[in-house]
Structure formats: C-alpha cells, structure tokens
Amino acid sequence: IFPNPGDGRFTLSTTISGNKSIEVLDISGKQLLERNSDKLEIELNINNYPSGLYFVLISTETNRQIFKVIKQ
C-alpha cells in the first residue's frame, strides 16, 4: 500500500489473483469502506475521513491480510 503515510488516496498493489474483498476499518474496527475487485492494483480513497490510523483488510476464500495505513 503506497504512499504510506499518505493524504487519503492510497494504491493497493497485490499479487493475489482472483476476486478479493477489500475493507477499510478505523481504529475502533468500524467498517468505512468495502469493495470487491479482481484487479491487482486498487485505488482506495479515504479523503472524507479524519487523519489517523486505519486498517486495510484483504480477504479471499483462503486468505486474510491486514495492513496499517496512516492518513496525514
């Protein structure tokens, strides 16, 4: 995920092929954004949310990964 930290626009670049669910969660675990995609590069925009720490959860049928992003 780059840039990190960033201004609210992030690019998620992955090697996970096939359909995946992407969620953005705030520090309390509240879901702010959810998308499904089969692309290897996905744009995430959290400009409408305050500066702080967020989590990006990527899920497939067999795998889950969590990444931290910081919005400045």
Side-chain angles (χ1 to χ4, degrees):
I1 298 178
F2 61 92
N4 192 14
D7 65 0
R9 292 179 160 224
F10 298 94
T11 300
L12 171 74
S13 182
T14 180
T15 58
I16 301 171
S17 61
N19 195 35
K20 54 198 137 302
S21 170
I22 298 102
E23 298 174 70
V24 177
L25 311 171
D26 67 12
I27 193 75
S28 70
K30 179 182 175 186
Q31 185 184 68
L32 306 176
L33 177 70
E34 181 178 22
R35 293 178 57 184
N36 290 310
S37 179
D38 61 356
K39 297 181 180 179
L40 296 178
E41 193 166 287
I42 301 141
E43 299 292 325
L44 300 174
N45 186 340
I46 57 170
N47 278 332
N48 295 334
Y49 299 101
S51 297
L53 176 66
Y54 294 88
F55 298 100
V56 178
L57 174 63
I58 304 168
S59 302
T60 66
E61 290 182 14
T62 59
N63 193 10
R64 289 181 82 167
Q65 294 179 312
I66 297 176
F67 300 92
K68 294 179 187 177
V69 295
I70 298 172
K71 180 184 176 205
Q72 293 181 325

